[in-house]
Amino acid sequence: MPLFYFDFHDGQRHCFDDDGREFPDLNRARDEVIGPLSDVTRDTRPPGDRRDCIAHICDESGRIVFRARLPLTPEWMR
């Protein structure tokens, strides 16, 4: 099975996957990265309220094969 690496960035911190995980295909790896991305967004509190969390899936050669971006921009309505 192919090996995929999940890297996360929350606007301030990077979390790099050095070990990778095996999945039968990229679609299964994609499904696996979506849940943790929302967790990263919920758990981070950078200065201000704006958050822009990004997850990359890299293949065994290190090439980014998928990216998911979850922006959060809260706004007061006056």
Side-chain angles (χ1 to χ4, degrees):
M1 276 197 285
L3 196 59
F4 296 100
Y5 298 85
F6 297 173
D7 299 331
F8 294 92
H9 181 252
D10 68 6
Q12 290 187 334
R13 299 172 298 171
H14 286 90
C15 178
F16 295 103
D17 180 0
D18 294 326
D19 301 321
R21 294 176 58 189
E22 290 183 337
F23 290 94
D25 57 43
L26 181 56
N27 287 325
R28 292 287 301 271
R30 175 205 167 276
D31 292 345
E32 191 68 22
V33 81
I34 298 296
L37 182 59
S38 62
D39 293 340
V40 169
T41 304
R42 182 177 47 249
D43 294 342
T44 60
R45 294 292 298 188
D49 288 334
R50 185 175 179 354
R51 282 170 264 186
D52 200 14
C53 296
I54 299 171
H56 289 140
I57 299 176
C58 299
D59 64 12
E60 295 179 64
S61 71
R63 181 175 60 104
I64 296 173
V65 294
F66 179 81
R67 180 179 79 174
R69 182 172 165 252
L70 186 58
L72 174 65
T73 308
E75 299 175 292
W76 288 105
M77 306 310 290
R78 296 182 181 187

